[in-house]
Amino acid sequence: MLLPHDVFVLVADGRKALFFRNEGDTVEPNLVVEHAREQINPPNRDQSTDAPGTAFSSNGPGRSAYQETDFHQLEEERFAVDTAAMLKQRAFANDYEKLIVIAPPRTLGALRKHYHKHVADRVIAEVGKNLTGHPVDQIEKALIAV
C-alpha cells in the first residue's frame, strides 16, 4: 500500500488508540504520533462480581439462566464509539482528508458501525490487524506490505 503524504492513520484496539500523520511521502513514509489515548479495561472476571441470575422458565418446568454480561466487551465497544466520535469531530474540522484504520477485526467492526458519513467517505483503507503494541517502524512496514 502506498501511504500518501499527510494521510491520517488510526491504530487501535479495544482500549488504545494511536493517531499518526504521515509526514513522509509514498516512497518513504514517516508516521508521526499526533495523539494517543488509552483506557483501563481489566478482564471481565475482574469487573463482574456476581454469577448470572436465574429465573423460572415461562415455557416449561425448571429454571433458565441469564447470560452473563461481558463488561470487558462493553467497555471495548464504548471505546470504539468514543474513538469514532473523535474521528467525526476531526473530520468536521477538516483535520484530515484521507484516513487509514488499523485495528483487530472485532474493533474494526465496532468502529465501522459508528463511522459518520464524513468519516466513512475519507477512509481509503482498513487493515484487520492488532498493531497497537508495535513500534512505529514496524507499523510503517506492515502498512507498506498490505
Side-chain angles (χ1 to χ4, degrees), residues 63-96:
R63 294 177 174 243
S64 65
Y66 292 111
Q67 185 174 356
E68 185 174 352
T69 302
D70 187 341
F71 293 103
H72 181 79
Q73 183 58 39
L74 287 174
E75 285 301 313
E76 285 189 358
E77 178 75 21
R78 186 174 299 135
F79 188 78
V81 170
D82 293 346
T83 302
M86 184 181 288
L87 288 171
K88 174 185 159 187
Q89 181 182 26
R90 293 186 78 163
F92 280 154
N94 287 322
D95 194 27
Y96 62 94

